[in-house]
Structures are given as structure tokens and as C-alpha cells.
Amino acid sequence: DEIYSDEDEDLIADEEILIMQTTSGYIKRLPPSTFKTQNRGGVGVIGMTTKDEDDIVDILAHSRTKTDVLFFTNFGKVYRLRGYQTPEGGRTSKGMPIVNLLRLEENEKVLSIISMNEYDENHFLFFITKNGIVKKTSSNQFENINSNGKIAISLKEGDTLFGVTLTDGNTIVSLGSSLGKVCSFYEKDVRPMGRTASGVIGMNLDGGVIVGYCTSLQGTKILTLSENGYGKLSDVTQYRLTSRGSKGVLALKVSDKAGSLVSLKCVHGDENVIIMTKEGTVLKTRISEIHEANRATMGVKVIRLKEGESISEVLIEPSEQDLEAKDDPSLDKEVKDEALENLLNKETLEEEENE
């Protein structure tokens, strides 16, 4: 494993990387090309050797070597490294203890990792907790993070951070629960708050927990995956907008065959999806191979799981449209505007039909 210092950055190529972390805190980076695309329904390959059978890969993040990587913890704090400062490893290597890289406190664990370069008043970090609490904070409050970390969110007792995503203040946010429901609402319904705020109710979970989230910035289709490896692609317009704090609409009928909902992602449809199991197996397949279907259907077999195996993490590789948008921000705006226009048109039609 090799780690570089700040002084070496000019000598390092700006390349795509995947960052993997296990529950015991071992971390590594490797190029996305490590995993070859397989047909839908494949069994995948070993992506990381874990410490023992109780140690599972629970975080998989996409970034670049010359991009900031933010690490959010169960203490509500955030730490920062550059992509190249995460240790490079092979496909089956174990990685390095993250405590060797970040000044974590005793019992502090990293729960979410995101790639970040937009530190301005027009971008926000949107937080989602396991119990359905949401919060957004201006990204410029995270521009300066020292080695001891920084408070990012105050977590309520019995709750824990689920994920963080970058937004522009005008997106549609979709939250998915383990009971197969999806709650979609306007991001503007959540007012900006300071770093130490706890947030507001994003979804009424009705006894379930948050298992996924996405925004209209990320695509106009919603990809859902179930516990037993079934998945489907549905147009975002099939998920009607509800108010923040509602129970949402049905996305998957939970059953013995499908299992519960485990992942919700917004996509364009031309990306690859990388699925990792708790046992460290990785499958990369084309989303275009997953059939489009109505939102309440089970879908098709996306990954063939072994007995006792279950999905731990799902990552979308950026599409050509995403990469082009980084070079031309107007393209990103077109994607977002298309998603918003489609949903608003659907709402208008439904209102006219009800009249």
C-alpha cells in the first residue's frame, strides 16, 4: 500500500477510484476497471478480503485521486482526505485501518463517504439518518476541515447517520424505506440549517428504516434492488411527489421471494451498477440490462446470491452524461430540469383527471 503527501499531488494522475471500507474500519482504493462488467444475473467476484466472517464491506464510494473525500462518522463529525491519500490496494487485499489515516476518537466509526469539490453557497450537503431525519447545510461551511474533524450534524439518541449527498437547493429528494415505500419531495421543503442542527422529519417510516436515497440531479429513472437480488428500473414520474414527512408510495411489495427493499438510486440508464455483498463479492453490470417496469413490481434477478449471502452496498458508476456535465454545467442543469418538468407534468395531468 502506498500513501502520498500533499507535496506529491502535482506528480499524481487525476484518475477515477473506488473506495471500499469494512465494518471493522479497513479501507482501500482501487480503479473501477478492476471489476469487469458481467451480464445481469451473474454471481460476481471477490472484491475485498475481510478481517473475519463477521467483518463485512459496508461502504463503497466513487471519487477521483485529486478530489476531496469527506468521511462522516457516527459522532456526527466529518473528516477530509484527498483521494490519493487513501491507500491503494489490490482486488482481494484487506486494506489499511482507517484509524491510521483519520484522527478518530474511541468508538468513532465512519458511516458515509462522499466525493466533494463544490464549496459554495449554491451547493448543499443533504444529510439522511436511519430514522428518516433530513438536514441540509451550505457546503461552504465544510470548506475548512482540520485534522481533528468538524461537527457536521447533531444526531438524536437512538439514531445514526445513513448517508450524505451533494445538492443545489432545487432538487427532488427521494427516500426509500425497508418496507418498500418511497417518499419524494422538494428539497426546498427543507430549510438550510447550521452544522450543529439535528434536522427535520423527512419520511414517516412506519416501523421501517431508511435503506436508500437519491435526487433528481442524479437521473430521471429510479433503480430499486431487493434483499434477494431482484431489481427494476422505473421512470421517476411513477413516483408521485408527496409532502416531506409522509409514508410515501409503494415501490416494492415485500415478499419471501424478493425480500425487503435494500437500495434506491436515481440513474440515467446508461451507467453501470456495482453491487457488493456482505461477504465481499462484487458484481458490475450494465443498468441497460435491467428491464423497465412499473414501480410496484418485483423486477428481474440482477445478482445471483449464494445461500446466506445478502447485499451490503450499491454504487452507480458515473455515466457519460454525468462526466460531460462536469465539463459543461449546463448539461447537468438540463438533466435536472427534465426530471422536474416530467414530474410537474404528471402532477398536472393527475389533477386534471381528478377534476
Side-chain angles (χ1 to χ4, degrees), residues 19-240:
I19 299 173
M20 294 182 175
Q21 183 191 286
T22 68
T23 51
S24 65
Y26 280 79
I27 190 171
K28 70 175 181 181
R29 66 176 163 94
L30 62 173
S33 58
T34 302
F35 304 106
K36 306 302 180 186
T37 304
Q38 298 182 35
N39 292 330
R40 175 181 63 78
V43 295
V45 297
I46 295 297
M48 190 170 193
T49 300
T50 54
K51 184 179 174 184
D52 53 54
E53 62 180 15
D54 295 324
D55 187 26
I56 63 173
V57 178
D58 66 341
I59 297 180
L60 182 62
H62 180 275
S63 188
R64 301 189 67 88
T65 48
K66 291 188 176 182
T67 294
D68 284 349
V69 180
L70 302 189
F71 300 81
F72 297 88
T73 75
N74 59 328
F75 285 13
K77 294 178 67 176
V78 58
Y79 298 81
R80 178 168 57 199
L81 293 175
R82 295 290 277 174
Y84 62 81
Q85 291 177 316
T86 55
E88 189 172 10
R91 180 169 67 85
T92 60
S93 65
K94 187 169 62 174
M96 176 184 291
I98 197 166
V99 292
N100 292 0
L101 305 172
L102 306 177
R103 293 186 180 180
L104 300 178
E105 300 177 43
E106 187 177 357
N107 298 320
E108 187 175 16
K109 295 181 179 180
V110 172
L111 298 181
S112 183
I113 298 174
I114 69 166
S115 184
M116 180 79 173
N117 262 344
E118 307 287 352
Y119 299 102
D120 59 64
E121 60 184 12
N122 296 319
H123 289 86
F124 300 85
L125 285 180
F126 197 94
F127 298 79
I128 305 98
T129 77
K130 201 80 173 177
N131 290 345
I133 300 298
V134 297
K135 186 191 86 160
K136 74 175 181 183
T137 301
S138 177
S139 65
N140 60 15
Q141 294 193 35
F142 298 92
E143 187 167 8
N144 300 309
I145 302 173
N146 61 34
S147 59
N148 290 322
K150 192 173 194 177
I151 293 294
I153 183 174
S154 294
L155 296 166
K156 297 178 180 178
E157 187 175 354
D159 201 3
T160 187
L161 184 65
F162 180 81
V164 186
T165 188
L166 184 67
T167 67
D168 66 356
N170 297 302
T171 67
I172 291 172
V173 177
S174 295
L175 307 179
S177 81
S178 55
L179 300 182
K181 296 286 190 72
V182 172
C183 174
S184 298
F185 56 88
Y186 288 110
E187 179 193 347
K188 63 185 179 183
D189 291 343
V190 182
R191 63 177 178 82
M193 303 177 193
R195 288 186 298 105
T196 58
S198 297
V200 295
I201 295 175
M203 182 177 187
N204 181 344
L205 297 173
D206 199 25
V209 294
I210 292 291
V211 295
Y213 62 90
C214 64
T215 76
S216 55
L217 283 175
Q218 297 159 346
T220 59
K221 301 178 188 297
I222 289 183
L223 172 68
T224 56
L225 284 168
S226 76
E227 184 179 12
N228 295 333
Y230 287 88
K232 68 174 182 297
L233 204 58
S234 303
D235 195 274
V236 69
T237 58
Q238 294 202 23
Y239 295 84
R240 64 178 175 81

Side-chain angles (χ1 to χ4, degrees), residues 40 223-226 229-234 251-253 255 257-258 289-302:
R40 175 181 63 78
L223 172 68
T224 56
L225 284 168
S226 76
Y230 287 88
K232 68 174 182 297
L233 204 58
S234 303
L252 172 74
K253 189 174 182 180
S255 65
K257 185 176 182 180
E289 291 192 10
I290 302 173
H291 299 314
E292 289 200 36
N294 293 330
R295 63 173 169 82
T297 57
M298 183 172 65
V300 296
K301 198 76 168 177
V302 177

